[in-house]
């Protein structure tokens, strides 16, 4: 028996205000769908879902299939799979397609983090602590502690890491908003002002966010230009909002989409300089593939963002040394020194050797 579940009623019988937003209605519908499927001992029929959940009641078969399919896809991206069966067991409704969520599909597996992974999580949480993403970071740490993860096993803990101003430049309100819409796969609209051009309204199906240095870029499919485009977040005027008339999850991110390749080919970051790198044999292949020419054993690549390239080089550890230009050498040295200092605060070599 599946109880009647209305959008205004959540866990514990808490009544919400009647004027709920579409996003909130969707969240409550998904929660009620989970409750309905987890409360049943067997398969739940379409007819039962349409009568028990207000978000589906009043819909015809076609409209229900469309909305239910979107909801299933959103839950799948959260790691929850709804199983479908045409023939039912003794607890299901006969003659109709049924749905259920098994314990194995719903339950969260054990989380086991090494000391090095704990260090990475705590540094990331500290980095975002004083930004728009601070609350989400704190919630993530709380959930890990609730699972029994010892986040105090590093020497100093997240409070000792100073993120500086980089986190504040990165995590603006639009950063957090864009990240939310990407995770929900919601088409968005915003005003964009590129230097030397007039402001234009953009309608975008967002795919990803990627940062280079302290710059953040939003990638997606431009609905008006009918092509993939890149937008620097700092050039967005005002806020980013969900497009009216569009439902969450109503578009797919192409399997061949690569944020790194999109950024390299973007006119937003035209190549303006060259870097000479010394790359150890059989290492850092992504950098090797960007070679525009060579100088003896050295590899020369093009770039436009010193800090962005420095971050990429540091990510390859000791596989890459910068020969030229001097400002890139200094940027790489600064980043490596910052990493050494942070790791020393978190336990030094014991963290790295974990």
């Amino acid at each position: 028996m599946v109880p009647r579940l209305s959008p205004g009623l959540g866990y514990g019988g808490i009544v919400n205000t009647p004027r709920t937003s579409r996003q909130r209605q969707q969240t409550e519908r998904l929660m009620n769908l989970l409750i309905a499927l987890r409360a049943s001992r067997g398969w739940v029929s379409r007819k039962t879902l349409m009568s028990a959940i207000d978000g589906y009641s009043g819909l015809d078969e076609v409209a229900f299939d469309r909305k239910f399919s979107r909801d299933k896809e959103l839950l799948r991206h959260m790691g929850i799979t709804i199983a479908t069966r045409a023939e039912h067991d003794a607890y299901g409704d006969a003659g109709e397609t049924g749905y259920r969520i098994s314990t194995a599909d719903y339950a969260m597996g054990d989380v086991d983090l090494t000391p090095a992974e704990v260090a990475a999580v705590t540094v990331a949480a500290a980095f975002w602590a004083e930004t728009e993403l601070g609350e989400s970071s704190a919630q993530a740490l709380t959930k890990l502690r609730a699972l029994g993860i010892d986040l105090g096993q590093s020497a100093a803990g997240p409070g000792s890491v100073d993120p500086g101003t980089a986190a504040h430049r990165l995590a603006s309100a639009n950063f957090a908003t864009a990240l939310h819409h990407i995770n929900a796969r919601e088409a968005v609209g915003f005003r964009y002002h590129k230097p030397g051009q007039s402001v234009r309204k953009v309608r975008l199906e967002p795919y990803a966010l990627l940062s280079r240095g302290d710059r953040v870029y939003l990638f997606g499919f431009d609905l008006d230009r009918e092509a993939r485009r890149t937008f620097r977040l700092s050039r967005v005027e005002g806020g980013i909002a969900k497009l009216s008339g569009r439902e969450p999850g109503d578009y797919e991110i192409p399997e061949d989409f690569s944020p790194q390749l999109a950024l390299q080919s973007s006119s937003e970051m035209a190549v303006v300089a060259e870097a000479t790198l010394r790359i150890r044999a059989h290492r850092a292949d992504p950098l090797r593939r960007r070679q525009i020419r060579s100088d003896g054993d050295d590899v020369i690549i093009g770039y436009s963002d010193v800090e962005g390239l420095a971050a990429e080089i540091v990510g390859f550890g000791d596989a890459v040394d910068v020969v030229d230009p001097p400002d890139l050498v200094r940027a790489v040295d600064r980043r490596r020194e910052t990493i050494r200092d942070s790791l020393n605060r978190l336990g030094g070599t014991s963290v790295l050797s974990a």
Side-chain angles (χ1 to χ4, degrees), residues 99-153:
Y99 309 96
R100 76 175 180 183
I101 299 174
S102 68
T103 300
D105 290 332
Y106 186 78
M108 183 177 180
D110 293 336
V111 177
D112 185 18
L113 300 181
T114 66
E117 290 169 335
V118 168
V121 169
T122 53
V123 168
F127 183 84
W128 299 116
E130 301 300 325
T131 72
E132 293 281 340
L133 298 177
E135 183 178 351
S136 296
S137 299
Q139 289 174 353
L141 292 183
T142 299
K143 290 178 181 179
L144 288 175
R145 292 189 182 98
L147 291 171
I149 303 298
D150 181 11
L151 297 179
Q153 59 183 288

Side-chain angles (χ1 to χ4, degrees), residues 212-225:
R212 285 287 181 86
D214 60 359
R215 298 176 183 174
V216 182
Y217 298 87
L218 176 61
F219 304 96
F221 185 80
D222 189 322
L223 295 170
D224 297 309
R225 302 291 172 84

Side-chain angles (χ1 to χ4, degrees), residues 48-71:
T48 300
L49 290 179
M50 293 174 71
S51 62
I53 299 176
D54 275 0
Y56 299 141
S57 63
L59 300 178
D60 58 28
E61 295 286 337
V62 174
F64 169 79
D65 284 340
R66 185 163 52 244
K67 180 172 283 191
F68 185 60
S69 294
R70 285 196 296 265
D71 290 346

Side-chain angles (χ1 to χ4, degrees), residues 134-202:
E135 183 178 351
S136 296
S137 299
Q139 289 174 353
L141 292 183
T142 299
K143 290 178 181 179
L144 288 175
R145 292 189 182 98
L147 291 171
I149 303 298
D150 181 11
L151 297 179
Q153 59 183 288
S154 56
S160 67
V161 180
D162 179 12
T165 60
H168 294 279
R169 292 197 298 268
L170 285 172
S172 64
N174 276 340
F175 182 102
T177 301
L179 189 61
H180 164 78
H181 290 303
I182 290 169
N183 290 334
R185 288 220 325 280
E186 292 178 335
V188 297
F190 52 87
R191 290 166 57 84
Y192 192 70
H193 190 192
K194 190 172 182 179
Q197 299 181 12
S198 58
V199 177
R200 81 174 181 97
K201 293 181 179 179
V202 176

